[in-house]
Amino acid sequence: ANNCLVITATTMCSAAQTCQGGAGAAACACPALPAACPGGAGKLCNAGGQLVTCVADAKGCVSVSSTAGCGAGLVCSGAFPSAACVCPTAPAGCGGTTGTFCSGNSTFSCSRDANNCLVATSNNPCGSGLVCAGPAGSASCQCPAAPSACSGASSGNVCQTSTTYVTCGKDGNGCVVVTSSTGTCPGGSKPCAGSPGAAACACNTTPSATCSPGGAFQSGYACSGAQRLQCSTDANGCQTSAAPTSCTAPQTCTGALPSAACTCPAGYNPPECDAAGETNGSRCVGTTLTTCTNAGAGCQQLATQTCAANQLCVGAYPSSRCADEEKKGLPGASGGAETWSSLLIGNKINVPVAATLRRFGIVWAGNGAGAALSRTVTFALYKDNGTGPNGALLASAIDRTVNALGAVEFNLTNPAGGLTLAAGDYWVFVNINSPGYVTRNTSPSTPYLYTAATYGGALPATVTTASFMSGSLAGPLGFFLVVIPQQ
């Protein structure tokens, strides 16, 4: 009332307020916001990851209510004023759920802790030979897919080609693996065969049942009807048989496994035809011509021929033959005739190949007028040495009676069994006991030799050209030799 300045009242500021301002304007006001609560009342995370709670009192003054770390397994997260202690970010591999999952070739488990937060265990590597597989949440270390080479077999051999196979089995984890990849088969008759797990190198040959008499296979040769087949074990150890083959005619299959053979039938290869110097040719056995002929496949067939009386078996193996008699000289003389007695008169006769002398011959003209006339004649044979007869008496026919007209033949007196003549020229001399005619040709002019010889006297044991005189006839005399060539 007196306008005197007096203290009218003293007021206490609230607990959080402070008196602020100059004289006359002072008032109770909230202090500045705490550094930990820059945004005022609310919750926020400080740099240390703690949850700071800022509160305002009734006057609106802000203060730190608490600063506390989050519990084990929680983290401070969120923006002011709604920060809170929450579960950390869930592991990405968990996919937001619990269970077992793969990480590379390791497993890990996801579960919820005491705070109900999703957490993961550390990786657990799978053992050697195992792989991590399976759906999310149910993954596990398990066997890898079985090798395709095993074709579904868990053990045993599995063919890869006709000549190779692998062996499959289980490892220590019970997983199917290839335990060997080096199996081989020879192929051909013994390829790899069989179902997966039971494959083996197996023969694919089926020999003829003929190869297994009594059920046991034998190698060797067997008869299959008229044919022969070979049973054998090949280089792969497989039993096999070749296609039957026919024996070369006239052979037939004979015998039993293992020694069946194509053989000549009975009657072939007789003793006369089973040695060198007998087969495939002809030979003389006395007067019999024995011929062995190959009927095929070495089967010798025997044929024999007894040479006729006017034949000889001649020639050397393999070309022996029954040779017919031949007449050398002039067995067909005609047209003229000559007569004599007590003379040895001779003509030259050529023997072109070695031969056996069988008989002398003369073409008798009787009385020279066509009538028969009986006379006794003697023949002598000497070798020509190129200039005339020379050497020993070779053969003779003594005192042979001739009484028929025409060509007449006489056996030898000496040598009685015949004489082997070498090829060449010979002189045939004839003496007649009394005049009679011998037919001759009328040409050509032919030389002859003669010497006086009393009929019945001894024939000259040896002669030379000087032993005779020579003359000429209008044609050669009808003298001839009956011979059989020796080839």
Side-chain angles (χ1 to χ4, degrees), residues 252-321:
T252 59
C253 188
T254 59
L257 184 71
S259 303
C262 289
T263 60
C264 299
Y268 289 88
N269 296 339
E272 296 88 344
C273 299
D274 63 357
E278 296 177 349
T279 59
N280 302 321
S282 297
R283 69 188 190 282
C284 293
V285 180
T287 59
T288 300
L289 179 67
T290 300
T291 301
C292 298
T293 305
N294 185 359
C299 296
Q300 295 287 312
Q301 197 164 22
L302 173 66
T304 59
Q305 175 188 350
T306 300
C307 295
N310 63 342
Q311 293 180 318
L312 280 180
C313 191
V314 301
Y317 167 86
S319 303
S320 301
R321 65 189 179 93

Side-chain angles (χ1 to χ4, degrees), residues 56-61:
D57 60 13
K59 298 296 185 180
C61 293

Side-chain angles (χ1 to χ4, degrees), residues 45-410:
C45 298
N46 66 15
Q50 296 171 307
L51 179 63
V52 178
T53 301
C54 299
V55 297
D57 60 13
K59 298 296 185 180
C61 293
V62 175
S63 62
V64 176
S65 171
S66 63
T67 299
C70 293
L74 298 176
V75 296
C76 186
S77 179
F80 175 83
S82 302
C85 284
V86 298
C87 292
T89 302
C94 292
T97 187
T98 58
T100 304
F101 301 86
C102 291
S103 176
N105 202 37
S106 299
T107 61
F108 67 92
S109 297
C110 297
S111 61
R112 295 193 178 276
D113 60 13
N115 299 311
N116 201 33
C117 294
L118 198 60
V119 295
T121 61
S122 59
N123 287 353
N124 181 27
C126 293
S128 175
L130 298 177
V131 295
C132 186
S138 300
S140 63
C141 289
Q142 54 191 256
C143 293
S148 59
C150 294
S151 299
S154 60
S155 63
N157 297 331
V158 181
C159 294
Q160 305 301 297
T161 68
S162 63
T163 58
T164 61
Y165 64 88
V166 299
T167 302
C168 298
K170 291 184 178 181
D171 61 13
N173 298 314
C175 300
V176 176
V177 295
V178 173
T179 59
S180 172
S181 59
T182 59
T184 60
C185 293
S189 64
K190 197 172 187 178
C192 184
S195 59
C201 298
C203 294
N204 59 8
T205 55
T206 304
S208 169
T210 305
C211 297
S212 302
F217 180 86
Q218 292 185 60
S219 292
Y221 289 95
C223 291
S224 177
Q227 296 180 306
R228 187 176 77 148
L229 63 82
Q230 183 177 16
C231 307
S232 61
T233 300
D234 66 16
N236 293 326
C238 296
Q239 298 170 350
T240 184
S241 60
T245 57
S246 297
C247 295
T248 303
Q251 288 186 330
T252 59
C253 188
T254 59
L257 184 71
S259 303
C262 289
T263 60
C264 299
Y268 289 88
N269 296 339
E272 296 88 344
C273 299
D274 63 357
E278 296 177 349
T279 59
N280 302 321
S282 297
R283 69 188 190 282
C284 293
V285 180
T287 59
T288 300
L289 179 67
T290 300
T291 301
C292 298
T293 305
N294 185 359
C299 296
Q300 295 287 312
Q301 197 164 22
L302 173 66
T304 59
Q305 175 188 350
T306 300
C307 295
N310 63 342
Q311 293 180 318
L312 280 180
C313 191
V314 301
Y317 167 86
S319 303
S320 301
R321 65 189 179 93
C322 284
D324 294 321
E325 291 180 338
E326 297 179 4
K327 296 177 181 180
K328 303 300 180 184
L330 196 63
S334 64
E338 294 292 335
T339 182
W340 69 90
S341 67
S342 297
L343 289 175
L344 274 177
I345 292 182
N347 266 179
K348 185 167 65 175
I349 294 176
N350 178 258
V351 178
V353 297
T356 298
L357 174 62
R358 301 292 296 278
R359 295 183 296 281
F360 287 102
I362 190 171
V363 183
W364 186 242
N367 66 358
L373 185 68
S374 180
R375 293 288 184 266
T376 301
V377 296
T378 291
F379 295 83
L381 181 71
Y382 299 94
K383 185 77 171 66
D384 183 270
N385 69 350
T387 59
N390 190 16
L393 174 67
L394 299 178
S396 62
I398 299 174
D399 295 336
R400 301 308 191 203
T401 300
V402 56
N403 53 23
L405 298 178
V408 185
E409 300 172 6
F410 303 97

